Amino acid sequence: MKQEKKLLVQFILSVLICLCLAVFALADATGDQEGSAVNGVAGVAINVADMDRSVAFFRDVLDFQVASERTDEQKRTRSVELQIGDERVWLNQDLTAAGQPVPPDSRANDHWFQHIAIVVSDIDRAYQRLREFKVRHASSGPQTLPEWNKNAAGIQAFYFRDPDGHFLEIISFPPGKGDPKWQRESDGLFLGIDHTAIVVADTDSSLKFYRDLLGMKVAGHSENYGTEQEHLNGVFGARLRITALRAETGPGVELLEYISPTDGRKLEREPNENDLVRWRILMQTRDGSPSNLLDPDGHAIEISGSNRE
């Protein structure tokens, strides 16, 4: 009798193991299939409180150009598409009721952090432009990442805020760093958008989403710390695990995991559609199947066909 029970238990365990393996295999296959459909990043969408003020800021301070504008009378929303170089940003305003503002005490390690990195040909000139317009600092000043950090050495960057308190970055790449297109001769000061950066709680969990599910490729990584990083992020003791991801086209997505400090805050609730803290990363698919997703940290992803209207 005991032998029969033992055999029965072994049989049940074998069946359970087979079922688990089948589920994992199906999940992997589904992830590969869905991931392979994402072939580009179209840009980002940012909620703003005052469209005219925000358009003037991006146009006059940062040299963005207005590409299109649309007002949806039924939804009572206004959207302006801005372009700089090959890249685009969509500004959205709820005309009925403004959403919750960006928390005024937001820091670069809070989990709702997101910015766009705007490439410049001369960071000193670009910084001077920002100072002329009295733009709010988020870094103490432009920082040059040190030589010991081989993957990021020589990169210059500066964080600042737009009129709604959103973080933005200007960045300059030395020869051999970044996309080769940023090394082309240009008369422009502001050249385009290299990436959007987001704070994540766990890089490995985020890679399962962006790499394994959506099909983005890891393009680089580094671990940044030291005085320069503290002054750039405005976070004392900042030590970051940084992972750069790319699709076939468009700007990258950069994952920022704060190894220290670990006191970055999470939002108390999921943002409403019109809250100013809510950004969307706009991605494109080959098959045109639309979907809206949240990554493991609650950052919003909007997936649409290859031609965004």
Side-chain angles (χ1 to χ4, degrees):
M1 191 68 177
K2 290 183 179 180
Q3 183 66 20
E4 290 177 355
K5 288 183 178 180
K6 183 177 180 180
L7 291 172
L8 179 60
V9 170
Q10 290 176 341
F11 174 75
I12 292 173
L13 288 174
S14 298
V15 171
L16 290 174
I17 290 172
C18 289
L19 287 173
C20 288
L21 290 173
V23 169
F24 288 139
L26 179 59
D28 288 342
T30 302
D32 290 342
Q33 184 178 4
E34 292 184 15
S36 64
V38 173
N39 66 342
V41 175
V44 297
I46 307 171
N47 290 341
V48 301
D50 183 326
M51 183 64 76
D52 293 334
R53 179 183 67 177
S54 291
V55 168
F57 178 85
F58 279 90
R59 181 192 62 218
D60 300 341
V61 181
L62 304 173
D63 291 348
F64 280 72
Q65 301 296 316
V66 175
S68 68
E69 181 174 351
R70 184 169 66 178
T71 299
D72 188 322
E73 295 294 348
Q74 184 175 2
K75 295 182 178 179
R76 296 296 296 152
T77 58
R78 181 182 175 192
S79 178
V80 174
E81 176 189 0
L82 300 175
Q83 183 170 1
I84 183 168
D86 299 325
E87 289 76 45
R88 296 167 188 255
V89 169
W90 281 262
L91 303 181
N92 299 309
Q93 181 184 0
D94 188 324
L95 300 176
T96 302
Q100 289 294 316
V102 176
D105 60 346
S106 290
R107 298 197 305 162
N109 65 328
D110 288 328
H111 288 234
W112 58 81
F113 173 92
Q114 182 165 357
H115 77 209
I116 53 173
I118 304 164
V119 182
V120 297
S121 58
D122 185 322
I123 199 163
D124 292 328
R125 286 176 52 214
Y127 177 60
Q128 184 59 38
R129 168 83 71 85
L130 299 182
R131 286 178 60 89
E132 289 171 1
F133 280 91
K134 297 180 172 56
V135 169
R136 179 182 170 191
H137 284 51
S139 302
S140 61
Q143 302 297 314
T144 301
L145 299 185
E147 290 299 318
W148 61 259
N149 190 342
K150 298 302 181 185
N151 291 336
I155 292 175
Q156 297 178 296
F158 171 73
Y159 283 12
F160 59 103
R161 306 286 196 107
D162 77 354
D164 289 300
H166 298 119
F167 282 88
L168 301 172
E169 178 185 31
I170 52 173
I171 189 168
S172 175
F173 293 100
K177 294 288 196 307
D179 192 311
K181 76 176 185 177
W182 305 130
Q183 306 300 330
R184 298 173 190 162
E185 291 291 331
S186 174
D187 295 329
L189 179 56
F190 299 92
L191 306 179
I193 298 171
D194 181 73
H195 63 267
T196 182
I198 55 176
V199 166
V200 302
D202 179 72
T203 300
D204 294 334
S205 296
S206 295
L207 285 174
K208 290 178 182 178
F209 179 84
Y210 287 98
R211 181 191 62 198
D212 302 341
L213 177 63
L214 299 184
M216 301 189 77
K217 305 297 183 184
V218 175
H221 57 85
S222 65
E223 186 172 316
N224 292 15
Y225 57 91
T227 300
E228 297 86 359
Q229 197 67 42
E230 291 178 348
H231 283 273
L232 174 62
N233 296 81
V235 177
F236 180 74
R239 188 182 189 111
L240 291 81
R241 178 184 176 187
I242 301 177
T243 305
L245 295 159
R246 293 273 172 184
E248 294 176 16
T249 61
V253 175
E254 193 168 274
L255 310 178
L256 309 178
E257 178 187 351
Y258 276 80
I259 300 170
S260 68
T262 58
D263 60 352
R265 297 166 298 171
K266 297 181 180 180
L267 290 173
E268 296 180 357
R269 60 170 176 80
E270 181 180 327
N272 294 324
E273 287 288 325
N274 64 342
D275 286 345
L276 301 193
V277 77
R278 187 178 185 275
W279 292 45
R280 286 173 292 146
I281 303 175
L282 309 176
M283 295 191 177
Q284 301 167 334
T285 63
R286 293 185 179 87
D287 60 11
S289 300
S291 60
N292 294 305
L293 305 172
L294 293 178
D295 77 359
D297 296 281
H299 300 291
I301 312 296
E302 179 182 304
I303 299 178
S304 63
S306 59
N307 293 318
R308 177 181 169 83
E309 297 181 357

